[in-house]
Amino acid sequence: MASSLVQKVLDAPAEAERATAADELASFVKSNGVGCLSDGSCATMQAAMEDSNKKKAGARAGALACFKVICEAIGQPADPYTTPLLPSVLKLYADKDKKVADEAKAAGPAFVQNIPGYAVQVVVPKLLEAMDSSNRSQTVVGALELLQGVAERNPEQTARCLTLIVPVVSSCMVDITDSVKTQARSTMDKCCVAIDNRDIKHLIPAVINAVCVIAEVPETIHQLASTTFVQTVEGPVLAITVPLLSRGLKEKTTSIKRQCAKIVANMSRLVEAPAEAAPFLPQLLPALDKAQNEVSDPEARAVCTQAYEQLQRIENLVKTDKSKKAEVGTVSALVKAKMGGDIDAHAQISVDFLSGVICSMCDNNQFNIGAWNKNITPYLSSFRKTDQVETTIKAVLDQCVIDLAPEEEAEEEEDAEELCNCKFTLAYGAKILLHNTELKLKRGFRYGLLGGNDSGKTTLMRSIAMGQVEGFPPPTEVRTVFVEADILGELSDLACIDYIYANEQIKSANIEPDQIGVMLKTVGFSDKMIGEPVTFLSGGWRMKLALARAMLQKADILLMDEPTNHLDVINVQWTMDYINSLKSVTSIIVSHDSKLLDNCCTHILEIKDLKLSLSKGNLSEFVAKHPEAKAYFELKSSKLTFNFPQPGYIEGIKSKGKALMKMSNVEYTYPVNTSPTITGITIQVSLSSRVACVGVNGAGKSTMIKLLTGEIAPIIGTVWKHPNARVAYVAQHAFHHIEQHLNKTPNEYIRWRYEHGDDRESSQKVTVQLTEEEEKKVKEPIAIDSTDAKGNTIKIKRVVDRLTGNRKEDKKEKEYTYEVQWEGLGYEYNTWLHLSKLEKLGFKKLMKLVDEKVAQREGSYKRPLTQANVEKHLEDVGLDREFGTHHRMSALSGGQKVKVVLAASLWNQPHIIILDEPTNYLDRESLGALATAIENFEGGVVMITHNNDFCSKLCPETWVLEKKEDGIGHLDCKGDPEWMKHALNEKTEFKAMEEMVDAFGNTVKVKAPKKVLSRQEKKKRAKIRAAKIENGEEVSDEDEDWE
């Protein structure tokens, strides 16, 4: 019956008759529903629309009228039958007969009004099909208008289709027809309205505009590059930005390619669902591969490589993705089965259509029964009763939930109390460390935390301790304590028991000193040690002190950052035993000690690709499953490199074996002790030295090094350093170097420390600070030679105001002289006095300070103290400029702080580097880079370390310090005799400085000093010069021209 009414409309001879017949059709289909269309009515309409005969214009207009009537009268249930006709309707927007075109323009919006949200994904491909360039502009504009109408009614679902929409509509935006361009821009704006990513939302208009105006691509990429991405990156964001990035990677400018690569790397790290990025990989991977091979700038090339590797990671995830996706055929069969299995061909059309809608809901994780009823019920209601429809939808929904559920990892069988189960994002400044990751912790388990360099291990533990992790239980529910062994400077003079009592958490817990004493004895402290200042404690005892303080707080969770730092083998074993004894305490441990993680850990947490992954078992079991994790513990660096500045020339030093530092028969006793800590120490250090100083905790290793560097003065014996030698010293508790400057950035700290050309820290050493008695002595009047008005030599007495800091060599006396300024007299009366005389007058320490300053000024000549030079220097020890110049030191991790201290000590280009526990806080990649830098360093190196891998690789000479029966540290020097013999005889070959960079960044050539000639060489050159003069050749006064 419907087909006859449709034919009546098609055959109507005039508009009035057509309208009457259309009303009759509307009344009929409204009463009978979509079932009445089973007689081929839609096929009849489509055939009429596609008949382009000029004489059939009335039939085409009639078919369009029928299409409009069916859409309006039946509504949503008609979608499965009207959607296939949509391309034909859109083509008639361009019909030469204006009445037909107008009828088409009225029919299109009637169709759009019926589309429910989740049917957008089914309809959009039909609209995009009509935008093909082979179609006339009116058709393309019509399709764009309808797509805009869909976007206005269903913005969120339209945004989910942007992967399909953007390429097609972008092409329309650059069409030669103005009407197409204008409508395409308007449609693109509406389609992107629902992109809810706050990071990029404000830039969407600029990104869209760059599609139209190619000249704006560079500026738009600059804007995008300055964006900090923190939100999850989904398909819609990729759809709108990838075309811009693809175009940017084709630009000739290296900086634009670099920025595009950086944006790709940053955005791709925040992609949660690899499948959403999959459609864009074929565009970006080849472009990045080409860039990483062709870009000339090494740094930009490295950025391109990083982005390329990041996309390769996503590509691998796509290949191994186990997530399940709904397919129309499977869903259609499921719906048919739940309907009873007996449906005719007409009903099958509805089932196939609604199956596409169901797939759309599944793709959007929409499993709410209300949403399913709203979007699907109209398509089934014409074929089944209401109760059957509800039953069918519920059955299909339940089955889809089962079929598409992700495979969950098996829960642990252990019946342990759950302390934490949270999901959070963690950032460090502008850098995202963890994104939408889960953390589950159970009581009594010990978790080893692994991660690459600067991945955020310490930041995570600090954030947990400070209550900054979203969803982590508050302190009232779970007590969390961060175990730190570093002593704050202002508390260093307190006794151990008072140091713990001064802690705010201890006070708030109402813990009494008696309880503190008991706990300290539990971890091994004697009564004497409990009352001694914490500054006297070795590294091992400081860790025990920190553990005691943590356990007094009755911690549920201990956060331990490198708990075996500073510890010898005995104390490492004690720490492992102690951690394992805490059966009801949960631990999170960051350590580069693989033995500790093997012996203590029940689980491993790994930070990788902005996620925390949990694996049951210790480190060995984890490495067996993930062999690439070996890189965390291998002493090598694949990418990270450290570059130490090479030492400069030292006058009078012609062999690497000549001593630059000596100690002879030295003994030292701490003020509170009655017996010496060390005695009989005799050592020397030269440019060839590669020394490992080993011994148990408390043997006196750090004390010996402090004596060698002048941090403390010996009670007995002598300590000597070559006056021109520069020494870099990184203390065991390295952070004491910077603890007064935590509000400075690393760059600011180094520039402050060397502001006046010398190292401010060197003036704070005990060995250059005068006692009251010495200050009185240097202020006594000195008799010096002078001349009266007649030129006669007379003796006068003057008082020294200060040593100016200038020094020169008296070559006749072969002795240094120092410039002296006198009290009450101007600089024109300054006098140069010999070292021997000043030494007798009590100026030894002040001359030593001048020597230090002169040596340091020599080192600072090569590199002016500018922000750019310091930035480069920090990068040479592995600290990125982001942290070196833009972050305060208080916010840095332990490993980053160690790099700051190392960089600061190396700024003046030392001849000797002394490292006390250099491996603390550094991960294995950084240790590998440090080892390589030490191997390439031309100066001497002395190090104290308990890391056997590190010292055995680098040091053929060993100083073994051990306590004898008398309780005093004695030294035994060991080494490879052949190596030491060769090293002592090796000649020094200092490379002359050929250029320097001034404060304005200019490279300045440095003229080489004249060679000092022997008497024989002078005679030879004089003869050559005389011969040239006799031959009439021009000669100069420069020796170089005499050859």
Side-chain angles (χ1 to χ4, degrees):
M1 184 68 178
S3 60
S4 61
L5 290 175
V6 168
Q7 193 62 49
K8 185 177 180 180
V9 176
L10 299 181
D11 295 339
E15 251 182 269
E17 287 85 347
R18 188 183 308 130
T20 302
D23 289 341
E24 190 178 347
L25 176 65
S27 178
F28 179 79
V29 297
K30 189 172 185 178
S31 301
N32 293 279
V34 294
C36 68
L37 300 178
S38 62
D39 58 359
S41 304
C42 292
T44 302
M45 287 187 288
Q46 187 167 11
M49 290 180 198
E50 293 175 357
D51 189 345
S52 58
N53 192 320
K54 291 182 181 180
K55 296 179 180 180
K56 298 290 185 177
R60 291 196 296 275
L64 291 167
C66 292
F67 180 88
K68 181 172 179 290
V69 160
I70 291 171
C71 289
E72 292 175 342
I74 300 178
Q76 186 180 334
D79 292 346
Y81 307 96
T82 55
T83 299
L85 304 181
L86 189 57
S88 300
V89 172
L90 286 166
K91 284 193 176 182
L92 294 180
Y93 271 56
D95 198 278
K96 292 179 180 179
D97 189 305
K98 187 175 182 304
K99 290 182 180 179
V100 174
D102 290 343
E103 198 72 55
K105 291 174 184 176
F111 170 81
V112 169
Q113 296 299 314
N114 294 332
I115 303 300
Y118 290 101
V120 169
Q121 191 171 310
V122 181
V123 172
V124 163
K126 296 292 183 183
L127 293 172
L128 298 179
E129 181 185 325
M131 296 178 201
D132 190 88
S133 58
S134 62
N135 290 325
R136 299 180 68 180
S137 61
Q138 296 93 327
T139 296
V140 176
V141 170
L144 288 166
E145 288 173 344
L146 294 189
L147 179 58
Q148 182 169 326
V150 171
E152 288 170 345
R153 287 175 56 82
N154 304 289
E156 291 183 7
Q157 294 312 313
T158 304
R160 299 293 301 176
C161 296
L162 279 176
T163 303
L164 301 172
I165 292 170
V166 170
V168 178
V169 178
S170 294
S171 297
C172 296
M173 288 170 66
V174 292
D175 195 272
I176 58 174
T177 308
D178 289 340
S179 59
V180 174
K181 284 196 290 188
T182 303
Q183 183 57 51
R185 175 59 195 260
S186 176
T187 300
M188 184 71 90
D189 287 339
K190 292 296 183 182
C191 289
C192 295
V193 162
I195 295 178
D196 60 353
N197 188 300
R198 292 190 299 273
D199 302 335
I200 195 178
K201 192 163 186 138
H202 66 290
L203 289 175
I204 289 176
V207 173
I208 294 173
N209 203 48
V211 174
C212 307
V213 186
I214 295 177
E216 293 187 11
V217 168
E219 178 57 30
T220 308
I221 288 172
H222 278 296
Q223 293 180 44
L224 199 58
S226 63
T227 300
T228 301
F229 292 96
V230 295
Q231 287 201 291
T232 300
V233 173
E234 298 177 329
V237 174
L238 293 171
I240 196 67
T241 54
V242 166
L244 175 70
L245 297 172
S246 296
R247 182 170 288 176
L249 287 167
K250 294 174 184 175
E251 291 279 322
K252 293 181 180 179
T253 311
T254 296
S255 61
I256 296 296
K257 290 182 179 179
R258 181 197 180 280
Q259 285 181 318
C260 288
K262 194 69 178 175
I263 295 166
V264 170
N266 290 340
M267 290 180 67
S268 60
R269 294 183 71 201
L270 297 173
V271 172
E272 292 273 300
E276 295 202 20
F280 308 102
L281 296 178
Q283 297 177 57
L284 293 175
L285 276 170
L288 285 169
D289 189 25
K290 184 177 181 182
Q292 72 171 343
N293 290 313
E294 294 183 359
V295 170
S296 57
D297 179 53
E299 193 274 339
R301 200 162 57 242
V303 173
C304 293
T305 300
Q306 179 190 16
Y308 182 75
E309 290 174 351
Q310 185 69 14
L311 289 191
Q312 279 190 315
R313 179 187 69 82
I314 292 178
E315 187 178 42
N316 292 333
L317 289 175
V318 171
K319 292 175 181 176
T320 57
D321 188 12
K322 294 182 180 179
S323 60
K324 301 168 184 176
K325 193 174 178 67
E327 296 180 358
V328 173
T330 305
V331 174
S332 178
L334 174 63
V335 173
K336 185 177 179 179
K338 298 300 180 183
M339 289 176 67
D342 183 23
I343 59 174
D344 57 26
H346 183 63
Q348 185 66 49
I349 296 173
S350 272
V351 169
D352 290 343
F353 186 90
L354 71 86
S355 297
V357 177
I358 289 174
C359 288
S360 175
M361 287 192 286
C362 292
D363 290 346
N364 286 273
N365 292 316
Q366 176 55 272
F367 296 105
N368 177 271
I369 187 63
W372 278 56
N373 285 332
K374 179 181 177 181
N375 284 269
I376 299 171
T377 298
Y379 302 125
L380 289 176
S381 57
S382 299
F383 306 101
R384 292 291 186 270
K385 295 178 181 179
T386 303
D387 58 337
Q388 291 177 309
V389 170
E390 291 178 355
T391 303
T392 299
I393 293 174
K394 180 70 168 58
V396 173
L397 170 60
D398 292 343
Q399 191 61 49
C400 285
V401 169
I402 294 170
D403 292 345
L404 300 177
E407 296 180 7
E408 294 187 2
E409 294 184 9
E411 287 290 327
E412 299 210 20
E413 296 180 4
E414 291 94 335
D415 188 23
E417 177 191 354
E418 187 174 82
L419 296 180
C420 164
N421 187 349
C422 60
K423 190 172 186 177
F424 61 96
T425 292
L426 182 67
Y428 179 79
K431 183 180 181 181
I432 301 297
L433 300 173
L434 292 165
H435 182 70
N436 283 352
T437 193
E438 292 183 350
L439 175 63
K440 295 180 181 180
L441 302 174
K442 292 191 175 183
R443 185 176 294 280
F445 290 175
R446 297 178 292 280
Y447 301 88
L449 180 58
L450 305 184
N453 198 34
D454 296 333
S455 61
K457 302 182 292 294
T458 300
T459 303
L460 172 61
M461 294 208 297
R462 274 190 188 157
S463 299
I464 292 173
M466 297 171 69
Q468 296 173 340
V469 171
E470 184 182 356
F472 198 90
T476 52
E477 297 178 17
V478 175
R479 290 181 296 277
T480 304
V481 180
F482 191 25
V483 181
E484 292 183 283
D486 287 294
I487 309 299
L488 296 176
E490 63 269 20
L491 303 177
S492 59
D493 292 329
L494 294 178
C496 294
I497 193 168
D498 295 330
Y499 174 78
I500 292 181
Y501 192 65
N503 183 272
E504 290 299 325
Q505 285 77 18
I506 295 293
K507 289 180 179 178
S508 62
N510 297 317
I511 297 171
E512 297 299 324
D514 290 346
Q515 295 172 270
I516 298 174
V518 171
M519 181 57 74
L520 286 172
K521 288 181 180 178
T522 302
V523 297
F525 279 74
S526 64
D527 290 329
K528 180 186 176 185
M529 292 175 68
I530 289 173
E532 289 181 342
V534 293
T535 190
F536 291 166
L537 296 178
S538 66
W541 286 106
R542 290 189 182 198
M543 177 51 68
K544 291 182 179 181
L545 184 71
L547 283 169
R549 182 178 60 189
M551 295 316 301
L552 280 165
Q553 298 175 56
K554 297 180 180 177
D556 294 304
I557 300 176
L558 287 179
L559 306 170
M560 311 180 78
D561 193 1
E562 301 291 355
T564 56
N565 274 358
H566 316 295
L567 303 187
D568 57 22
V569 175
I570 296 171
N571 280 302
V572 166
Q573 187 61 50
W574 181 92
T575 303
M576 289 192 295
D577 292 343
Y578 186 76
I579 292 172
N580 288 334
S581 71
L582 303 174
K583 301 299 183 184
S584 62
V585 178
T586 298
S587 304
I588 301 179
I589 306 167
V590 172
S591 177
H592 297 106
D593 185 342
S594 53
K595 184 180 178 182
L596 172 75
L597 297 180
D598 247 353
N599 291 342
C600 293
C601 292
T602 59
H603 297 74
I604 297 295
L605 282 166
E606 184 185 22
I607 298 177
K608 189 176 182 181
D609 301 324
L610 306 186
K611 298 292 182 185
L612 268 175
S613 60
L614 179 65
S615 181
K616 187 177 180 181
N618 64 8
L619 180 64
S620 294
E621 294 174 77
F622 181 78
V623 170
K625 297 176 189 173
H626 309 277
E628 69 278 4
K630 286 182 181 178
Y632 295 138
F633 302 93
E634 290 177 345
L635 193 60
K636 65 180 182 180
S637 175
S638 56
K639 294 181 181 178
L640 187 64
T641 57
F642 287 5
N643 295 301
F644 288 177
Q646 295 301 337
Y649 171 75
I650 303 182
E651 189 176 348
I653 302 297
K654 294 184 179 179
S655 72
K656 285 193 170 184
K658 190 166 183 179
L660 296 181
M661 304 178 79
K662 290 181 183 179
M663 285 204 302
S664 178
N665 198 32
V666 165
E667 180 176 298
Y668 183 77
T669 306
Y670 279 99
V672 296
N673 293 343
T674 55
S675 59
T677 300
I678 56 174
T679 188
I681 305 297
T682 299
I683 55 173
Q684 72 174 36
V685 183
S686 66
L687 288 168
S688 65
S689 294
R690 288 291 187 276
V691 182
C693 184
V694 299
V696 299
N697 285 120
K701 303 184 297 296
S702 295
T703 301
M704 182 178 74
I705 294 300
K706 287 179 180 178
L707 287 164
L708 181 63
T709 58
E711 297 285 316
I712 54 178
I715 305 299
I716 299 174
T718 58
V719 178
W720 173 86
K721 179 179 80 68
H722 191 289
N724 291 339
R726 295 185 294 276
V727 179
Y729 171 50
V730 178
Q732 179 185 38
H733 308 291
F735 301 162
H736 91 81
H737 293 283
I738 59 174
E739 63 188 12
Q740 304 300 326
H741 308 280
L742 294 178
N743 287 330
K744 293 184 177 76
T745 67
N747 199 308
E748 290 169 344
Y749 167 68
I750 292 177
R751 285 185 284 132
W752 167 86
R753 181 166 163 179
Y754 293 94
E755 185 177 15
H756 302 297
D758 52 278
D759 186 355
R760 287 188 177 184
E761 289 204 359
S762 65
S763 62
Q764 299 171 4
K765 294 179 181 178
V766 172
T767 51
V768 294
Q769 291 178 350
L770 300 180
T771 63
E772 287 186 19
E773 184 180 336
E774 288 169 335
E775 284 183 354
K776 289 179 182 178
K777 187 170 183 179
V778 298
K779 286 301 178 182
E780 293 176 357
I782 300 172
I784 62 169
D785 293 332
S786 185
T787 54
D788 58 17
K790 296 180 181 180
N792 299 319
T793 300
I794 59 172
K795 291 283 186 181
I796 61 172
K797 288 192 174 183
R798 289 179 181 169
V799 176
V800 174
D801 180 39
R802 66 187 183 95
L803 300 186
T804 64
N806 293 325
R807 185 192 73 187
K808 65 182 181 180
E809 186 179 7
D810 184 339
K811 293 187 178 179
K812 185 178 179 181
E813 298 291 333
K814 294 185 178 180
E815 186 178 16
Y816 283 124
T817 61
Y818 295 81
E819 187 180 22
V820 175
Q821 184 171 340
W822 305 103
E823 269 190 9
L825 297 176
Y827 70 89
E828 65 272 18
Y829 293 98
N830 288 4
T831 306
W832 293 85
L833 298 183
H834 284 87
L835 179 149
S836 54
K837 182 169 185 176
L838 286 170
E839 201 169 56
K840 290 176 183 177
L841 296 170
F843 284 83
K844 185 175 181 179
K845 287 184 177 179
L846 295 177
M847 287 190 297
K848 186 175 182 180
L849 189 56
V850 171
D851 292 339
E852 290 277 358
K853 291 182 176 181
V854 169
Q856 287 160 9
R857 284 199 295 269
E858 178 69 24
S860 65
Y861 171 62
K862 194 170 185 178
R863 290 181 299 179
L865 194 67
T866 63
Q867 178 174 318
N869 283 345
V870 174
E871 196 170 77
K872 175 65 170 61
H873 179 67
L874 285 164
E875 288 180 333
D876 281 343
V877 293
L879 190 67
D880 188 83
R881 66 183 60 188
E882 176 68 24
F883 303 108
T885 303
H886 304 294
H887 285 77
R888 290 182 173 180
M889 291 190 286
S890 57
L892 300 184
S893 68
Q896 290 167 331
K897 286 179 180 175
V898 168
K899 291 174 185 176
V900 173
V901 174
L902 185 60
S905 66
L906 295 173
W907 174 256
N908 65 0
Q909 299 161 63
H911 300 98
I912 304 293
I913 299 175
I914 299 177
L915 305 168
D916 195 346
E917 294 289 2
T919 59
N920 291 344
Y921 299 102
L922 294 179
D923 60 22
R924 283 288 168 139
E925 187 174 22
S926 295
L927 286 181
L930 178 61
T932 302
I934 290 174
E935 285 178 338
N936 296 332
F937 182 60
E938 293 294 331
V941 178
V942 178
M943 66 178 77
I944 298 175
T945 179
H946 292 116
N947 188 318
N948 186 58
D949 289 346
F950 191 76
C951 68
S952 61
K953 177 181 178 181
L954 298 171
C955 301
E957 185 179 355
T958 307
W959 296 343
V960 182
L961 197 63
E962 53 187 352
K963 285 190 174 182
K964 301 295 184 181
E965 294 179 359
D966 56 8
I968 301 172
H970 296 265
L971 185 67
D972 181 15
C973 296
K974 300 178 181 179
D976 180 344
E978 288 300 317
W979 176 87
M980 295 177 75
K981 180 180 177 182
H982 171 74
L984 291 172
N985 294 326
E986 188 179 351
K987 290 185 178 180
T988 56
E989 293 184 2
F990 295 108
K991 185 179 179 182
M993 185 171 65
E994 297 174 349
E995 61 183 31
M996 61 167 280
V997 181
D998 66 17
F1000 298 101
N1002 303 310
T1003 301
V1004 181
K1005 296 293 181 182
V1006 178
K1007 191 172 183 179
K1010 292 182 180 180
K1011 180 182 177 183
V1012 179
L1013 302 178
S1014 67
R1015 187 176 176 184
Q1016 188 176 2
E1017 288 173 324
K1018 286 179 180 179
K1019 283 184 177 181
K1020 180 181 178 182
R1021 292 201 172 190
K1023 286 181 180 180
I1024 294 172
R1025 188 170 190 271
K1028 285 185 176 183
I1029 293 172
E1030 188 175 340
N1031 293 332
E1033 297 178 29
E1034 289 187 9
V1035 294
S1036 78
D1037 291 333
E1038 297 292 332
D1039 288 347
E1040 287 80 5
D1041 294 338
W1042 294 359
E1043 296 289 0

